[in-house]
Amino acid sequence: MGKAYEDCLYQIQLERCLVVLTSKEINTLLQTDTEIFATALKRGKYLKRGQKQKEREQEKFGREQ
């Protein structure tokens, strides 16, 4: 496998196995179930917002000292 191909692989650890999918395969799976896709998008937004908030708090804490 070439390096470009390896960069597009995602490993998902399940209970008893490791699943490795390409971004195209993940996209196809998410398009078949729009409810899961919507839930995943919301989860991603919450995660990003939480990370940004944590960064802001760390910057503020660093300035106060």
Side-chain angles (χ1 to χ4, degrees):
M1 283 192 269
K3 177 134 178 70
Y5 182 73
E6 291 174 8
D7 291 344
C8 298
L9 296 178
Y10 295 90
Q11 297 180 11
I12 303 169
Q13 182 66 52
L14 300 176
E15 280 186 45
R16 296 185 178 182
C17 63
L18 175 68
V19 178
V20 181
L21 298 168
T22 64
S23 57
K24 184 177 177 181
E25 291 167 339
I26 292 171
N27 192 21
T28 300
L29 289 171
L30 289 173
Q31 287 178 1
T32 60
D33 191 335
T34 55
E35 186 176 332
I36 290 176
F37 188 68
T39 301
L41 280 175
K42 286 180 186 177
R43 194 178 297 137
K45 287 180 181 180
Y46 292 139
L47 180 67
K48 287 287 200 182
R49 288 179 186 148
Q51 289 171 341
K52 281 289 190 188
Q53 182 62 31
K54 189 174 182 179
E55 288 173 12
R56 286 187 207 107
E57 290 173 0
Q58 289 175 346
E59 287 175 10
K60 183 178 178 183
F61 181 73
R63 280 187 264 140
E64 290 178 353
Q65 288 186 350

